[in-house]
């Protein structure tokens, strides 16, 4: 009784992209503004697959999509918002990072990190905020570009 949808003819998108499109198309309009999609097992394994999964975050930047592994989670912080990240210290942290993978950041500012950014430029080939540490239960982020937020998951 399960409906099978074969999208194998579409070689221009990843399987995750196809799944997110399906979820978006069939979610009731009333739920779309609060939709959060958790993708378990999205990290680890082949690096090109991981990069494809990160690309999906950018393709669907208006959706809240969380990529999860046994060790960490990643989601996109769109430049259009001032972000307040509430840390659940019993299950996540303390190691975290902010990565300007889509484009360089001319100005990023944070609070709640051991090494806060203050209108700091970040780019590949220069500074990126990896190996940072959360110091409380709230982190704020404001940037002129989209950033990836990543935080470690505690082993329970």
């Amino acid at each position: 009784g399960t409906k099978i949808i074969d999208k194998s003819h579409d070689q221009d998108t990843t399987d995750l992209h196809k799944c997110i499109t399906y979820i978006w198309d069939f979610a009731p309009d009333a739920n779309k503004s609060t939709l959060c999609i958790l993708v378990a097992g999205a990290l680890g394994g082949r690096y090109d697959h991981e990069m494809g999964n990160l690309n999906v975050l950018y393709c669907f930047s208006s959706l809240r999509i969380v990529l999860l592994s046994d060790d960490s989670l990643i989601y996109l912080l769109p430049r259009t918002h001032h972000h307040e990240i509430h840390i659940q210290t019993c299950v996540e942290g303390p190691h975290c990072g902010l990565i300007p993978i889509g484009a360089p950041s001319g100005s990023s500012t944070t609070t709640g990190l051991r090494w806060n950014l203050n209108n700091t430029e970040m780019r590949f080939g220069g500074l990126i905020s990896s190996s940072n540490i959360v110091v409380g239960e709230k982190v704020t982020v404001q940037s002129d570009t989209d950033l990836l937020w990543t935080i470690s998951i505690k082993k329970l």
Side-chain angles (χ1 to χ4, degrees):
T2 302
K3 181 179 178 182
I4 297 174
I5 300 171
D6 182 1
K7 297 282 186 174
S8 60
H9 65 280
D10 177 4
Q11 292 299 304
D12 293 335
T13 61
T14 65
D15 291 341
L16 179 57
H17 190 284
K18 292 174 182 90
C19 289
I20 300 298
T21 299
Y22 180 83
I23 292 167
W24 179 256
D25 288 346
F26 289 95
D29 287 338
N31 294 347
K32 286 186 178 179
S33 65
T34 59
L35 186 63
C36 180
I37 301 169
L38 178 65
V39 185
L43 305 168
R46 282 183 34 196
Y47 185 68
D48 59 326
H49 288 179
E50 287 185 8
M51 292 304 293
N53 290 345
L54 294 176
N55 186 57
V56 166
L57 299 180
Y58 284 85
C59 291
F60 295 93
S61 62
S62 64
L63 279 176
R64 172 95 171 186
I65 303 170
V66 179
L67 305 180
L68 181 67
S69 74
D70 291 339
D71 301 311
S72 63
L73 63 81
I74 295 175
Y75 55 87
L76 186 69
L77 301 177
R79 67 180 169 270
T80 55
H81 296 81
H82 175 84
H83 301 278
E84 283 191 6
I85 303 166
H86 297 274
I87 308 301
Q88 296 181 19
T89 57
C90 61
V91 294
E92 55 183 349
H95 302 94
C96 65
L98 289 161
I99 314 296
I101 199 170
S105 169
S107 176
S108 292
T109 299
T110 63
T111 64
L113 301 176
R114 180 175 290 166
W115 296 283
N116 279 311
L117 305 172
N118 185 11
N119 295 315
T120 304
E121 178 182 318
M122 291 192 299
R123 63 180 174 81
F124 275 90
L127 175 74
I128 61 171
S129 182
S130 64
S131 302
N132 213 326
I133 305 282
V134 295
V135 294
E137 294 184 358
K138 183 172 87 170
V139 172
T140 65
V141 179
Q142 181 71 46
S143 183
D144 63 349
T145 191
D146 299 340
L147 298 174
L148 291 176
W149 167 256
T150 183
I151 191 164
S152 58
I153 301 293
K154 293 180 179 176
K155 303 291 184 190
L156 299 178

